[in-house]
Amino acid sequence: MAYTNITLHKEGAVAILTVNRPKALNALDDLTFDEIATAIGEVGADNEARVLLVTGSGEKAFVAGADIPSLRALESAFDGAALSRKGQEVFDLVERLEKPVIAAINGFALGGGCEFALACDIRIAADTAKLGFPEINLGLIPGYGGTQRLPRLVGVSVAKRLLFTGDMVDAATALKIGLVDEVVGAGELMEKAKNLADILSQKAPLALRLAKRAVNEGLESDLDRAQILEASLFGIACGSEDRVEGTSAFLEKRKPSFKGR
Ligand code: DAK
């Protein structure tokens, strides 16, 4: 599939999606959203792609937000709501992809860019990255899931402070508040992110899928229901060939070879 505003390629079992509008600091316009959605479908259908890594092109930005000219051109509240739903749906696809998704945050991750990172499973940031939600300075609020995913990740008080002030935080602060999971030198970001992706690509794909679903869906339920869900998903894992392979390999003191069945 040929893309204009993103690139998608594979390195072994790792698919790498790069938002590629460097002149606009990789801001998300309509076409970019469409292409991200198509790419997620492509990666989901590719049995050889075990992990997705997302990043931004150039050294300056991961994604500097929604495309501001598109936001200015909105003509009505209905246009705004439709745009918001579209972004939400695309980031839901990211969150629901049945493979781990790692965000390699190589620079500014602002507004919609930070919302993109929030929809990923794991966030690794370059020490030069800056993250934040400047929407308030544009007379807006985050419209792509940010007001909901941010407090779930960092807590209500820290989230409100970020959303109300619009202040950017540096990578070290982002790590301290739990907005990212790891900070690495800018020059080694992709290497570190690929290393983690490689490690995950060797884990049992079905179990990864089930673990992701258990966490994501369980967090939206009360503990009793979430544990019933966990038991069901555990049962599904028990029915897999990978469970037989994993437990046998342990007992036979060898490395498991998971097939995703
Ligand atoms: N959109 C389009 N172009 C952008 C952009 C963006 N978000 N951010 C930067 N650019 C463009 C700049 O216009 C500039 O273009 P030229 O002038 O060269 O043509 C180029 O990228 C380089 O940017 P700067 O010259 O500004 O670079 P600096 O190093 O000086 O500053 C910066 C970097 C990231 C601090 C600055 O560019 C900046 O503040 N950018 C805007 C950040 C921002 O406010 N992002 C938007 C967040 S709001 C909703 C749906 C969605 C959302 C909200 C509501 N509804 C439907 C209701 C989400 C909104 C957002 O994401």
Side-chain angles (χ1 to χ4, degrees):
M1 170 83 195
Y3 294 104
T4 306
N5 287 355
I6 67 164
T7 63
L8 180 67
H9 74 283
K10 251 186 343 191
E11 293 185 17
V14 180
I16 302 177
L17 186 165
T18 305
V19 181
N20 189 29
R21 293 185 73 211
K23 286 190 181 145
L25 300 187
N26 304 321
L28 300 165
D29 64 359
D30 214 38
L31 177 62
T32 311
F33 269 123
D34 285 341
E35 293 191 342
I36 292 170
T38 305
I40 296 296
E42 211 180 306
V43 173
D46 181 349
N47 286 336
E48 283 166 15
R50 297 271 180 100
V51 180
L52 173 64
L53 210 153
V54 301
T55 192
S57 86
E59 288 171 8
K60 201 164 163 183
F62 173 70
V63 169
D67 185 62
I68 294 177
S70 310
L71 292 178
R72 192 181 58 179
L74 289 173
E75 286 180 358
S76 70
F78 291 104
D79 284 355
L83 186 75
S84 175
R85 280 307 289 155
K86 179 171 178 174
Q88 289 171 352
E89 283 164 14
V90 174
F91 290 160
D92 283 352
L93 292 176
V94 175
E95 187 171 74
R96 291 176 192 157
L97 181 68
E98 295 187 316
K99 303 173 185 197
V101 185
I102 300 170
I105 303 170
N106 55 311
F108 290 110
L110 303 176
C114 212
E115 291 173 297
F116 192 6
L118 286 173
C120 299
D121 299 307
I122 295 170
R123 284 153 289 279
I124 305 178
D127 54 5
T128 50
K130 290 211 158 55
L131 299 90
F133 292 85
E135 285 88 343
I136 202 82
N137 300 323
L138 301 171
L140 284 167
I141 64 169
Y144 303 141
T147 62
Q148 304 309 305
R149 289 195 179 98
L150 183 66
R152 282 165 169 76
L153 188 67
V154 301
V156 171
S157 176
V158 172
K160 283 182 178 164
R161 187 173 175 135
L162 287 172
L163 297 171
F164 293 178
T165 63
D167 286 348
M168 288 185 221
V169 295
D170 60 18
T173 306
L175 181 66
K176 198 168 77 186
I177 63 178
L179 183 53
V180 301
D181 313 296
E182 186 182 358
V183 176
V184 300
E188 53 178 8
L189 174 66
M190 285 311 280
E191 184 193 335
K192 295 271 185 182
K194 283 179 196 170
N195 282 348
L196 177 62
D198 281 337
I199 291 169
L200 298 184
S201 73
Q202 288 161 41
K203 305 291 178 190
L206 270 177
L208 281 175
R209 186 196 302 178
L210 297 170
K212 179 166 173 169
R213 202 188 301 165
V215 173
N216 286 356
E217 290 181 21
L219 275 177
E220 301 307 318
S221 319
D222 60 70
L223 187 60
D224 279 351
R225 281 165 214 273
Q227 292 203 100
I228 291 167
L229 172 71
E230 181 186 69
S232 305
L233 297 175
F234 182 85
I236 292 172
C238 288
S240 70
E241 286 177 29
D242 284 348
R243 189 262 310 174
V244 177
E245 168 63 11
T247 51
S248 303
F250 176 82
L251 294 172
E252 292 159 18
K253 301 189 188 307
R254 61 176 172 81
K255 203 166 167 262
S257 169
F258 294 117
K259 300 282 188 301
R261 292 195 294 264

